[in-house]
Amino acid sequence: MNKKWLQYASILVICILVGMVIALLMKNINAQSLGGKSLQELQNSIIDYQKKNEELNNRNTRLYEYLRELEAELASGLGESYIHIVEEKEQYAIFAGLRAVKNQGVVITLTPHDGYQMQDAVLRQFVNELSALGAQAISINDERKVATTEIRTSLDNILVNGVSYSRSAVFEIKAIVDPAKIDSYVVPYLLSVGDSIRKQLADDAVTISVRKDENVTIPALNEDRIAYQMELLTPAE
Amino acid sequence: MNKFKKWQNGFLLILALIAGLSVGLLIKQALTVHETEGPDLAALETASLDLSEEEARYQILKAQNEELENRKKVLLNRFGDNEDLAGVLDEFHENALLAGMSGVEGRGIILSLDDKINYDPLTDPIESIIHDSTINYVLNLLWAGGARAVAFNGIRLTAVSEISCVGPTILCYGVRQMPPYVIEAIGPVEDLEAVLYTDSYLAHLTQNKIGVRLTVQKSETVRLPSFSQTHDYLPYINWLREP
């Protein structure tokens, strides 16, 4: 009889142990299901998604209104549809850099000293910094920066949109940025970038000036530039 | 009698298992209470749930956006029947293509950039991790190689491509990006490969000492999304005025 109870007791103990192991495993699975991410990483991801969702939501709301107007106009004849389509077409042209634009902005002038040849990396650094600062239109020596713009050295020249500029000549970068941030942030920041570049290049290589301009005009992309060639692109269905 | 004993044994077994699970769960709860001093599991779980909700919302909005864009295409095609509007619509589509506001496809390459495996900030050079400057450098190479359209981690690049860095994190149009960084480009494949393979800085980054991981694949059909599939374009032109 005692042996029998001992048997039961040992089965009981083993089952309890198995149960505990399963429960602890479940806990681990729970922890793994969080992807091993830290709280900070999760919160960052949430913020990113919130930002993306807000943008998409705004875009969808605008699209929805636009479509309602188009549908109403289709139903009642031509009406104002012409105006809506032309308006959006022009907004796309501005976004693509196909129209000249103006507003307050900054002008960066890079003057190489005797014997120094400008590096494409210096121009790219300023252009990238301006893009990161939220510049909405940028030009390099009046050559509009568009999606396909390259800035690269070719022997004694720097090519921008396929146009050559002498590396010993003055380069002028213009940009239209948030007017509210020009004095407080954009100009001081670009000056610090300029200082850091000058230190890397040796002080006497190039003079860098950064100034605010109340009336910056950025020209449209010239129609003979390579950006206009779209034969390799097929609109996706 | 023997059969009854077997049932009894089985029942006892199940009971013991349930008891074991309960004890285990009790211990788990007790441990969770103790762990509040360390990583906050409850907060992690809440954040994880919030993230799932936001991801689900994003998928819904994306689907809505696709549906609306398709409806817009259909409506604009109907306007195309009108002779007065046909020319305007052609220009509309051309501008959309140049602005990155329409999805495109074509021959191209898919490039992936990743940090050095097991990057150690104490022993590895700073170049071993990918920076915004690395991405911008590669993009410039691709444009110089004749790329006609490019997407970075699924976001179509436009005339105002904002790629920046906040600490170790790369942002594209304000959205955090994680490695591996995938750049898809439509253009003359051979030229694009040539500029990448002959570039001395990329060769330097990919040597064993630096350890940046770079892969380049050719593709007969690279499909790039429209910028409008991920972002609203109007906030990117709101300070621009006509001269």
Side-chain angles (χ1 to χ4, degrees):
Chain A
M1 187 68 178
N2 265 349
K3 196 179 172 187
K4 202 175 166 187
W5 278 110
L6 197 70
Q7 240 176 2
Y8 282 145
S10 53
I11 290 169
L12 192 74
V13 169
I14 288 166
C15 288
I16 289 171
L17 282 173
V18 169
M20 283 169 69
V21 169
I22 292 171
L24 286 169
L25 276 176
M26 278 166 62
K27 181 192 170 188
N28 280 341
I29 288 165
N30 265 344
Q32 279 168 6
S33 71
L34 297 175
K37 286 184 174 175
S38 71
L39 187 60
Q40 185 63 48
E41 282 171 329
L42 283 170
Q43 282 168 343
N44 286 341
S45 299
I46 292 169
I47 292 167
D48 287 341
Y49 268 103
Q50 281 172 339
K51 203 179 283 177
K52 285 201 269 190
N53 287 344
E54 193 189 335
E55 285 227 18
L56 258 182
N57 196 29
N58 289 342
R59 169 80 185 146
N60 287 355
T61 309
R62 231 189 306 271
L63 254 178
Y64 185 71
E65 288 299 319
Y66 181 71
L67 292 180
R68 272 185 53 185
E69 283 163 8
L70 284 188
E71 278 167 346
E73 286 149 13
L74 257 178
S76 64
L78 250 182
E80 289 185 339
S81 54
Y82 186 84
I83 298 167
H84 281 116
I85 293 170
V86 169
E87 192 179 57
E88 193 172 23
K89 171 181 81 73
E90 282 307 299
Q91 283 171 340
Y92 282 180
I94 291 169
F95 189 49
L98 313 179
R99 299 286 182 269
V101 286
K102 69 165 189 181
N103 202 342
Q104 290 179 45
V106 288
V107 179
I108 302 164
T109 311
L110 305 155
T111 313
H113 292 175
D114 288 343
Y116 177 75
Q117 291 212 303
M118 185 63 69
Q119 294 175 27
D120 54 359
V122 173
L123 295 180
R124 281 204 303 269
Q125 188 171 349
F126 273 113
V127 169
N128 292 340
E129 295 289 358
L130 284 165
S131 298
L133 287 166
Q136 296 192 344
I138 300 173
S139 69
I140 306 113
N141 283 4
D142 279 343
E143 194 60 45
R144 180 73 171 266
K145 182 198 173 289
V146 294
T148 56
T149 297
E150 91 289 9
I151 302 168
R152 68 186 161 104
T153 300
S154 173
L155 302 173
D156 291 335
N157 297 309
I158 288 178
L159 300 177
V160 182
N161 288 339
V163 180
S164 295
Y165 296 95
S166 168
R167 293 173 65 193
S168 357
V170 174
F171 281 84
E172 191 175 64
I173 302 170
K174 292 192 265 183
I176 292 173
V177 291
D178 182 354
K181 290 182 184 166
I182 296 177
D183 289 322
S184 60
Y185 185 67
V186 176
V187 171
Y189 179 74
L190 290 172
L191 283 170
S192 74
V193 171
D195 284 343
S196 140
I197 289 173
R198 257 200 309 268
K199 276 174 197 155
Q200 286 168 32
L201 296 178
D203 280 337
D204 54 352
V206 60
T207 302
I208 300 173
S209 78
V210 180
R211 64 181 171 85
K212 177 185 176 179
D213 193 322
E214 290 292 335
N215 199 8
V216 171
T217 301
I218 310 272
L221 179 75
N222 208 311
E223 281 188 28
D224 61 3
R225 301 293 182 255
I226 193 171
Y228 272 96
Q229 294 172 15
M230 294 173 288
E231 71 283 353
L232 297 174
L233 301 177
T234 309
E237 287 306 314
Chain B
M1 184 67 186
N2 216 1
K3 205 178 173 185
F4 176 73
K5 258 192 172 177
K6 268 188 185 171
W7 275 105
Q8 201 184 23
N9 281 348
F11 183 65
L12 203 69
L13 203 75
I14 292 165
L15 265 183
L17 203 62
I18 292 168
L21 272 169
S22 309
V23 173
L25 283 170
L26 274 174
I27 293 172
K28 181 187 155 189
Q29 275 183 349
L31 284 174
T32 309
V33 171
H34 282 292
E35 275 174 5
T36 47
E37 288 165 10
D40 193 343
L41 192 64
L44 273 173
E45 279 170 350
T46 310
S48 182
L49 271 176
D50 289 348
L51 180 60
S52 303
E53 278 172 22
E54 290 297 336
E55 279 171 344
R57 191 164 166 245
Y58 177 68
Q59 292 307 328
I60 292 168
L61 286 168
K62 214 173 153 188
Q64 272 177 1
N65 181 267
E66 272 176 35
E67 197 186 314
L68 290 167
E69 290 286 357
N70 286 337
R71 258 177 73 194
K72 184 177 157 188
K73 267 186 203 165
V74 172
L75 280 175
L76 288 178
N77 283 341
R78 283 173 64 188
F79 278 111
D81 297 338
N82 184 308
E83 279 182 18
D84 297 336
L85 273 179
V88 174
L89 277 175
D90 284 346
E91 206 182 324
F92 176 93
H93 291 307
E94 189 182 306
N95 289 356
L97 207 61
L98 287 167
M101 292 301 287
S102 58
V104 284
E105 60 182 39
R107 278 189 82 213
I109 60 163
I110 300 166
L111 178 155
S112 164
L113 273 168
D114 206 342
D115 302 336
K116 182 182 182 180
I117 299 176
N118 301 326
Y119 170 74
D120 180 354
L122 296 176
T123 56
D124 291 318
I126 192 88
E127 291 167 307
S128 296
I129 50 171
I130 309 293
H131 298 270
D132 56 339
S133 55
T134 324
I135 300 291
N136 280 318
Y137 183 83
V138 172
L139 291 174
N140 188 63
L141 278 182
L142 293 173
W143 297 128
R148 312 294 348 128
V150 172
F152 172 51
N153 275 9
I155 302 173
R156 180 73 170 274
L157 299 184
T158 68
V160 287
S161 301
E162 281 182 22
I163 296 172
S164 57
C165 229
V166 174
T169 312
I170 294 177
L171 304 176
C172 181
Y173 295 104
V175 178
R176 213 171 299 264
Q177 304 300 320
M178 300 298 285
Y181 303 104
V182 178
I183 299 172
E184 297 161 284
I186 295 176
V189 174
E190 290 70 27
D191 294 348
L192 293 177
E193 281 187 321
V195 289
L196 294 171
Y197 291 141
T198 57
D199 185 71
S200 56
Y201 182 60
L202 277 188
H204 163 75
L205 288 182
T206 48
Q207 63 181 301
N208 286 341
K209 194 178 130 197
I210 310 291
V212 162
R213 288 171 284 165
L214 167 71
T215 60
V216 182
Q217 270 181 290
K218 285 192 239 185
S219 174
E220 283 306 309
T221 316
V222 174
R223 277 171 169 263
L224 303 185
S226 147
F227 182 73
S228 61
Q229 277 181 266
T230 52
H231 290 78
D232 186 14
Y233 73 101
L234 287 178
Y236 296 92
I237 55 170
N238 58 354
W239 303 313
L240 305 181
R241 309 280 175 262
E242 278 181 47

